[in-house]
Amino acid sequence: MMGWRERSATSVRAYRDVFVRRAGQFVGFEILFLLLAASVLAPVSGILGTAILSWSGSGAVSNFDLASFFLSPKGWLFVVVIFVLGATGFFFQTGGLMVVAAASMTGKRIRLVGLLRYLGGRIRDLLELGLRMLAGYLCLALPAVVVAGVCFLIFLSEFDIYFYVQTRPLEYWLALGITGVAWVVCGYLALRLFVRWLFAVPALIFEGRPPRVALERSRELVGTDWVRVMGLVVGWSLMMIVLVIGSTAVLAMFRWVIVLLVGGNVPLAIAMVGVVLGVELCVAVAVNFILVVTFSIFTVRWFRERTSVLEIPDSEHLGERTWVDETGRGIPLRRWLWMGATAVVLVSGVICYGILETMDVTDDDVSVTAHRGSSLAAPENTMPAIELAIEEGSDYIEIDVQQTADGVLILVHDTDMKRLAGVPRQVSEMTYEEIGALDVGRWFGEEFAGERAPTLEEVIDVAKAGGAKLNIEMKFAGSDVSMAKDVAAMVRQKEFEEDCVITSLSYDGVMAVRESDPELRTGLIVTASVGDLTRLDVDLLSVSARAVSRDLIDRARRAGKEVHVWTVNQAGDMNTMIHLGVDNILTDRPAVLVELLEERAGMSKAERSMLRLGDVVRGRL
């Protein structure tokens, strides 16, 4: 009886033999599919997604509006369209590769153009298959979503969510644990369902069954052997994970070696960076190719084992000619090597040109925003934090503004005073006198005991005196955005219009400021979104450092909008944001960013170029 090593070696040889016999067709079909996806599938998905989002009136949905959007018929339609089109593309891709694998196993010849025509004729069935699978997965996910919602209401709804995230009391861990278990169970059931539906595409293609019957046929073929099949799927997945991690690790070592070798030679560095990125791109394409091809061969082999029959679809559609050379051996290895080397050279040249195009751009024109003041050195949103931020040279100071029950605009981040002062009452339900009597500094340190929450009016006066600007973030109590008009009125009253920007997580709140005073600069803070944010009617987008990208920045620039990024506290990350070209960096450590910008100002162009190339090589840009 063979051990696991012998069985693994036998499986690898079987995969290799299937691939080698039709290597040209595997590669050819993948190229044709990628061209088809880029020219048809991606544009159609984009057009339909944009059309659905345009019904929201803005072309994008973000933050609090996401929940209501996805719970609405428009949101359901958006999910269905995106998932079904994505699933259809995957079925089209793997279905074609499965036919090539079947042809290799049975010795039959097919024509790629005919294969594409055949799959195009089954597109309606592939769409229906994706829709039926989506319904199944949504039914599995619904209980986990309900559990998460119930946990939030029971454990995390009494106080502001920021209190739970920062202090992490027992209720936080209970909610996290219960929700985590629910999603683990959901993930297990989803994997089990995936295994039971593993043979749906082969049943649809090789047996000509309609989608509903193909799903039932797949369940029948897997039967009681689903545990073994799941083990094989998990084993294949682990091997692919090892492949991805291994290739990533090798490429990372390659990057560091290049960084050490190039020294301070900028032209050589640009050339080597181009080579590194060209190799990385080609490796990424190759790894993805291996993933989909091995999955397709794996599925066809097990389908054939269970049915004992593997019928290639109608030969009238597929034809008899195949993309092989005269000997029938496929494309020779040396030709593959030449093709790979040519691809690396071409991609490297394009990348080098792209780097050169951006090397002369002045990328150090970045403003410094102190997040809630200098909030790592003093308690957030207090006068000491604001005054220290001014002393440290901040261009802007970001503050959080809410309105008390008696209409006073006051600086507090959370919706209640639990975290800052130990008082579990909502800010909107307390008077200015009540909040003003609370100590909001002692939690940070005894030296700040007795600090009070300042008003927006007081902070504007201090900022004007210190020559700093303000980023006024409006925090709304629920859906009521009436405070926006009062904030705009206060800014006008203090003649501070040119020295502030008014932002919020609520797009409706930002629009209320626009309506009150169209001349005021406004910005939307984005934690999550779908759609094109640059279509929104704001002057700037304030996004997470994890979500910002060169593409977003370029699109925002073309739309005449700034991009502010939060919250960046490490010098290396600050350099990366500067290299990306952001307009403003929000940080809890404004002194560090100010010092870094001063150091960069004293560098030569070559030194700044090398810093930028270092980020490119490390994959940060």
Side-chain angles (χ1 to χ4, degrees):
M1 184 175 179
M2 291 192 298
W4 69 270
R5 291 185 178 179
E6 290 79 7
R7 289 197 301 272
S8 298
T10 301
S11 296
V12 169
R13 284 194 295 270
Y15 279 89
R16 183 197 62 194
D17 292 343
V18 171
F19 175 76
V20 168
R21 282 195 293 267
R22 295 294 170 86
Q25 285 201 320
F26 278 115
V27 174
F29 179 81
E30 186 68 6
I31 292 173
L32 291 175
F33 169 77
L34 292 176
L35 292 173
L36 185 65
S39 59
V40 177
L41 185 61
V44 168
S45 300
I47 291 170
L48 290 177
T50 301
I52 296 170
L53 287 171
S54 66
W55 293 349
S56 68
S58 60
V61 182
S62 63
N63 305 326
F64 305 123
D65 298 328
L66 281 175
S68 59
F69 174 75
F70 283 117
L71 291 175
S72 70
K74 298 174 189 176
W76 301 339
L77 180 60
F78 181 84
V79 170
V80 169
V81 167
I82 297 303
F83 180 91
V84 171
L85 286 178
T88 301
F90 178 73
F91 297 154
F92 193 102
Q93 178 187 25
T94 55
L97 293 172
M98 287 177 190
V99 171
V100 176
S104 177
M105 293 177 189
T106 58
K108 295 183 178 180
R109 295 191 171 187
I110 60 174
R111 188 161 54 95
L112 293 182
V113 174
L115 177 55
L116 289 175
R117 188 184 306 118
Y118 167 77
L119 292 171
R122 302 300 303 273
I123 198 71
R124 182 176 177 180
D125 289 336
L126 296 176
L127 283 167
E128 183 182 339
L129 187 63
L131 189 59
R132 289 181 176 277
M133 285 189 171
L134 173 62
Y137 289 126
L138 286 179
C139 288
L140 285 181
L142 184 59
V145 172
V146 172
V147 169
V150 171
C151 283
F152 177 83
L153 292 175
I154 294 176
F155 298 113
L156 305 177
S157 61
E158 185 176 0
F159 310 122
D160 187 277
I161 189 64
Y162 202 70
F163 163 76
Y164 295 102
V165 173
Q166 289 293 307
T167 62
R168 298 182 181 178
L170 178 61
E171 295 88 344
Y172 172 85
W173 295 111
L174 285 173
L176 191 65
I178 296 173
T179 303
V181 169
W183 281 108
V184 167
V185 172
C186 176
Y188 166 76
L189 293 176
L191 176 61
R192 181 173 172 176
L193 187 60
F194 173 81
V195 169
R196 291 188 180 279
W197 284 345
L198 183 64
F199 301 126
V201 173
L204 187 146
I205 290 177
F206 297 120
E207 296 182 343
R209 299 177 185 269
R212 181 182 61 80
V213 179
L215 292 171
E216 294 174 356
R217 173 62 169 163
S218 180
R219 285 176 176 270
E220 175 190 330
L221 291 174
V222 173
T224 58
D225 202 23
W226 66 269
V227 175
R228 183 184 177 208
V229 178
M230 180 182 288
L232 292 168
V233 170
V234 171
W236 171 84
S237 301
L238 291 175
M239 287 191 293
M240 295 303 103
I241 289 172
V242 170
L243 172 64
V244 172
I245 293 176
S247 61
T248 302
V250 170
L251 290 172
M253 293 176 61
F254 185 36
R255 291 192 209 111
W256 282 108
V257 169
I258 293 299
V259 170
L260 292 174
L261 291 177
V262 297
N265 189 324
V266 176
L268 176 61
I270 293 174
M272 295 306 294
V273 166
V275 172
V276 169
L277 297 182
V279 170
E280 287 189 359
L281 181 59
C282 292
V283 169
V285 171
V287 168
N288 179 72
F289 176 70
I290 292 171
L291 291 175
V292 292
V293 169
T294 54
F295 174 79
S296 301
I297 297 174
F298 167 85
T299 306
V300 172
R301 286 187 67 211
W302 279 90
F303 180 79
R304 185 185 192 186
E305 179 181 298
R306 279 160 169 71
T307 60
S308 301
V309 178
L310 199 58
E311 293 292 339
I312 301 297
D314 187 358
S315 60
E316 291 183 4
H317 287 90
L318 302 185
E320 293 297 323
R321 288 181 296 164
T322 183
W323 185 24
V324 295
D325 62 14
E326 294 179 356
T327 64
R329 292 182 292 104
I331 298 177
L333 177 61
R334 64 177 180 273
R335 192 179 302 175
W336 283 109
L337 294 176
W338 277 111
M339 290 168 61
T342 302
V344 169
V345 170
L346 291 175
V347 172
S348 301
V350 172
I351 292 173
C352 287
Y353 177 78
I355 294 173
L356 285 170
E357 283 288 292
T358 61
M359 290 304 290
D360 290 333
V361 175
T362 302
D363 55 14
D364 283 17
D365 188 16
V366 177
S367 299
V368 178
T369 295
H371 182 233
R372 304 179 200 168
S374 189
S375 54
L376 287 186
E380 63 186 54
N381 285 314
T382 62
M383 282 301 186
I386 291 164
E387 291 167 350
L388 182 58
I390 294 173
E391 291 176 14
E392 292 174 341
S394 303
D395 301 301
Y396 283 83
I397 302 169
E398 187 266 352
I399 56 176
D400 302 294
V401 175
Q402 296 188 60
Q403 196 164 36
T404 63
D406 51 348
V408 177
L409 298 171
I410 196 167
L411 269 64
V412 179
H413 176 273
D414 300 358
T415 56
D416 59 44
M417 301 302 296
K418 174 67 174 177
R419 179 174 63 92
L420 297 180
V423 178
R425 293 183 62 190
Q426 296 289 308
V427 172
S428 60
E429 298 173 355
M430 300 176 68
T431 65
Y432 169 63
E433 183 177 355
E434 290 174 324
I435 295 178
L438 299 178
D439 183 343
V440 296
R442 188 182 298 274
W443 69 273
F444 190 89
E446 286 297 325
E447 65 272 28
F448 296 102
E451 284 298 327
R452 306 291 182 245
T455 65
L456 174 60
E457 183 176 10
E458 292 170 340
V459 172
I460 290 177
D461 289 337
V462 171
K464 290 179 73 172
K469 299 180 180 181
L470 291 180
N471 178 336
I472 303 171
E473 179 184 346
M474 300 179 295
K475 298 281 188 179
F476 297 105
S479 59
D480 182 10
V481 297
S482 59
M483 178 186 74
K485 295 181 180 179
D486 294 329
V487 171
M490 175 61 69
V491 169
R492 287 195 302 269
Q493 176 188 328
K494 305 300 290 186
E495 298 181 350
F496 202 61
E497 296 96 323
E498 300 296 324
D499 296 311
C500 74
V501 57
I502 302 176
T503 62
S504 179
L505 286 161
S506 168
Y507 187 62
D508 289 339
V510 173
M511 289 301 95
V513 172
R514 269 273 199 249
E515 293 173 6
S516 178
D517 188 344
E519 299 302 317
L520 287 173
R521 294 178 65 231
T522 58
L524 181 68
I525 303 169
V526 182
T527 56
S529 67
V530 293
D532 186 1
L533 292 171
T534 63
R535 297 177 62 187
L536 298 176
D537 184 21
V538 293
D539 297 298
L540 66 91
L541 299 169
S542 184
V543 300
S544 165
R546 294 186 297 273
V548 72
S549 66
R550 186 76 199 189
D551 175 64
L552 173 62
I553 294 170
D554 290 341
R555 286 188 289 112
R557 288 254 172 85
R558 289 194 294 270
K561 304 181 191 304
E562 294 182 2
V563 174
H564 295 202
V565 63
W566 48 267
T567 304
V568 186
N569 290 329
Q570 302 302 318
D573 296 330
M574 293 173 182
N575 269 318
T576 299
M577 294 301 110
I578 293 170
H579 296 149
L580 277 172
V582 302
D583 299 286
N584 190 303
I585 297 175
L586 283 73
T587 177
D588 297 322
R589 305 170 69 194
V592 173
L593 181 52
V594 169
E595 182 179 356
L596 182 143
L597 288 171
E598 290 174 350
E599 289 178 358
R600 290 179 63 96
M603 292 180 180
S604 66
K605 181 179 177 180
E607 289 172 326
R608 289 198 301 272
S609 297
M610 291 304 298
L611 275 177
R612 180 185 182 86
L613 287 170
D615 268 344
V616 172
V617 171
R618 295 181 185 92
R620 295 180 176 180
L621 300 183

